[in-house]
Amino acid sequence: MTGLPDDVRPYFSAANYAHLATLLPDGSPHVVPLWVDVEGDRLVFLTVPGSRKDRNLAADPRVAVSVAQADHPFAMATVRGRVAERIEGDRAWAIIDRMAEKYTGAPYADRTPAWCSPWTSSPHGRMTTPPTEAAAPAALELSRIQRRTVRVLIAGQILGGLGFGATSSIGSVLATEVAGSEAWAGAAATLSTLGAAAAAVPLAALARRRGRRPALASGILTSTAGAILVVVSTGLGLFPLLLLGFALLGVGAAVNLQTRFAATDLASPAHRGRDLSLVVWSTTIGAVVGPNLFGPGQGIAEAFSMPPLTGSFVIAVVAQVAAAALFLLGLRPDPYLVSRSLPAAPVAPAAPGRVSARSLLILAISSVAGSHAVMVAVMSMTPVHLTHGGATLTIIGLTISLHVAGMFALSPLFGWLSDRMGRIRTVLLGQGILAVAVVITASAGHSTAGVTVGLILIGLGWSATTVSGSALITDLTTGAARTRAQGRTDLVMNLSGALGGAAAGPVLALIGYAGLALAAGVIVLVVAGANLVVPRVRAAV
């Protein structure tokens, strides 16, 4: 006897209905539809004691199981084997509830005594697909494609992060100078996040229709056009045009967010948090270096007689063009298009897919969005606050660099914790870090060291919540429903960031930087409370 063959395992792991064949006393076959799942090297299904199926198995443990992909019924797998073990009690109900969650989104309602019967497969498992469709890539080939995809996404994130870091922290200062009022200090962050929000759903839809490659490349090129427009509008002194430039520049942030989901297209469920977090982590390199390019940026501006503070945007243009070329050339084959050929994913791009545990999905999206609003609100006002305290652009750049390092540098750790400790617990860890961060930031005054510590912790809290929340969103969705949920997540996330950035300026003018940090702390408390309450309420239903 052998374990379950790797090529059929995805069919039984997905929410596909199976058919179990057993033998009647006269030797004729008896076939019933049923739920099935994978437990280690075995398949598991539930059996009510005394049923015809149960009596057949007691007399002859030999079985055959077939399963067809829900959205593509001619893609199917068959396995033969024999019952190896009967499980009862709490262990059985844990497996049964897990199967019920997979198929219905809720624990098993009928607590009538039942057997949970794992069985070991024979070497005769096989996978078939109709001749008109390409078979799913083999497991080793998928692993190779996934490793290449993650490497390309990491390189693209480094370049994209360089552009983001070189321009993001100078935006509030630039907006203040062109507008002539500090009331517009939050305009850069607000318009950038609105641009990212506006692009989130269209980019996800483009990925669903054409793949990740054109979606990521077109988004990053749009951001490049925004960087050019910022330079032109600053030179002309046209504030409305500057706002448009910031909005287009924000599309790059939408690309940055979508790449984390691209890393999960071919990732195994056990490693989704890890692969997602590695791509998030890679942003650290460019985003930390970027804010420290103010000096070289000033040199570029002087060399080409450009407006002050705009030289960094030239660096952003070069980095983003390189990232677009990398996505276009390196993401071959396209990970999302490959994922559509897998048995656990819908084949047709218009297939509806599946959403499990909708209340948890809403919780995950809200947690990511709330943490993003906190981060944008406090971070966007920090350069203005430090400028009032006499800090130089170099000091401000270093502070923002360390904040960005907090956002991304430890994301692999949070990905690992998310896979091992659980999604909700890791989100709660992130909210705890954010709570400590806003208290430190509020009490720091104009101390650069205090503000820097607070911003680093805000970055860490944002990272834990975003990585784990994004992994949970991927866990709860399949097929086209997954890309729609991902697009809506980024839309809500960026709208929340835009609202936080828009409110930050007036709040800063009204109650100061400390008041702004404490106001952000209210959001942290709400998100933490929701993550404590919602899972418990859902489990009790």
Side-chain angles (χ1 to χ4, degrees), residues 462-515:
W462 177 93
S463 180
T465 303
T466 301
V467 167
S468 191
S470 300
L472 179 57
I473 291 163
T474 301
D475 291 342
L476 296 173
T477 53
T478 65
R482 176 175 292 171
T483 52
R484 282 195 297 271
Q486 291 169 349
R488 291 168 185 171
T489 298
D490 289 347
L491 170 63
V492 175
M493 180 179 183
N494 284 299
L495 286 176
S496 299
L499 181 61
V507 171
L508 179 70
L510 184 65
I511 58 176
Y513 189 69

Side-chain angles (χ1 to χ4, degrees), residues 405-446:
M407 290 174 64
F408 302 116
L410 294 186
S411 54
L413 172 61
F414 294 127
W416 180 82
L417 287 174
S418 177
D419 288 336
R420 299 296 187 275
M421 192 170 70
R423 313 299 192 206
I424 298 295
R425 289 180 179 177
T426 308
V427 169
L428 285 169
L429 172 63
Q431 298 308 300
I433 296 172
L434 283 174
V436 174
V438 295
V439 171
I440 292 176
T441 305
S443 59
H446 287 289

Side-chain angles (χ1 to χ4, degrees), residues 17 29 52 73 102 133 149 190 204 233 312 333 369 389 413 438 491 497 534 540:
Y17 288 91
R52 177 74 269 174
K102 183 174 77 170
E133 297 287 348
T149 296
T190 301
S233 60
S312 298
L413 172 61
V438 295
L491 170 63
V534 172

Side-chain angles (χ1 to χ4, degrees), residues 130-516:
T132 56
E133 297 287 348
L140 289 177
E141 177 67 8
L142 281 179
S143 178
R144 184 190 66 80
I145 296 172
Q146 173 66 0
R147 289 196 300 271
R148 174 183 172 84
T149 296
V150 171
R151 287 197 298 267
V152 171
L153 293 174
I154 286 174
Q157 284 288 79
I158 291 173
L159 292 169
L162 188 66
F164 167 80
T167 59
S168 60
S169 54
I170 201 65
S172 59
V173 179
L174 200 60
T176 299
E177 291 203 1
V178 175
S181 171
E182 287 186 356
W184 292 99
T190 301
L191 269 295
S192 293
T193 49
L194 283 175
V201 172
L203 286 179
L206 180 58
R208 189 163 61 249
R209 293 193 306 268
R210 303 288 299 277
R212 297 290 187 186
R213 193 165 59 93
L216 297 179
S218 61
I220 206 74
L221 289 175
T222 302
S223 179
T224 303
I228 296 172
L229 194 58
V230 167
V231 175
V232 173
S233 60
T234 301
L236 297 175
L238 297 176
F239 187 63
L241 195 62
L242 177 67
L243 297 181
L244 177 60
F246 283 137
L248 294 178
L249 198 62
V251 178
V255 172
N256 178 287
L257 294 173
Q258 192 178 114
T259 53
R260 76 193 194 279
F261 288 126
T264 67
D265 286 336
L266 297 176
S268 66
H271 294 139
R272 278 179 186 148
R274 181 199 66 185
D275 289 355
L276 184 152
S277 64
L278 284 174
V279 173
V280 172
W281 167 84
S282 63
T283 308
T284 308
I285 301 172
V288 169
V289 173
N292 294 291
L293 295 176
F294 292 152
Q298 287 291 82
I300 292 173
E302 293 173 2
F304 292 94
S305 300
M306 295 169 59
L309 305 178
T310 61
S312 298
F313 289 85
V314 175
I315 299 173
V317 167
V318 174
Q320 289 174 332
V321 169
L326 183 64
F327 290 142
L328 284 172
L329 299 176
L331 291 179
R332 294 176 182 270
D334 190 288
Y336 181 72
L337 298 183
V338 172
S339 74
R340 292 212 313 241
S341 71
L342 299 179
V347 174
R354 186 185 302 271
V355 175
S356 302
R358 192 171 296 274
S359 61
L360 289 182
L361 180 63
I362 294 172
L363 176 66
I365 294 174
S366 301
S367 299
V368 170
S371 298
H372 193 62
V374 170
M375 186 276 293
V376 171
V378 178
M379 185 273 289
S380 63
M381 291 300 102
T382 298
V384 177
H385 174 68
L386 292 179
T387 299
H388 285 167
T392 65
L393 284 178
T394 300
I395 295 297
I396 294 173
L398 177 61
T399 300
I400 299 300
S401 290
L402 293 174
H403 163 68
V404 173
M407 290 174 64
F408 302 116
L410 294 186
S411 54
L413 172 61
F414 294 127
W416 180 82
L417 287 174
S418 177
D419 288 336
R420 299 296 187 275
M421 192 170 70
R423 313 299 192 206
I424 298 295
R425 289 180 179 177
T426 308
V427 169
L428 285 169
L429 172 63
Q431 298 308 300
I433 296 172
L434 283 174
V436 174
V438 295
V439 171
I440 292 176
T441 305
S443 59
H446 287 289
S447 167
T448 302
V451 170
T452 300
V453 170
L455 281 189
I456 291 172
L457 291 175
I458 286 177
L460 290 173
W462 177 93
S463 180
T465 303
T466 301
V467 167
S468 191
S470 300
L472 179 57
I473 291 163
T474 301
D475 291 342
L476 296 173
T477 53
T478 65
R482 176 175 292 171
T483 52
R484 282 195 297 271
Q486 291 169 349
R488 291 168 185 171
T489 298
D490 289 347
L491 170 63
V492 175
M493 180 179 183
N494 284 299
L495 286 176
S496 299
L499 181 61
V507 171
L508 179 70
L510 184 65
I511 58 176
Y513 189 69
L516 172 64

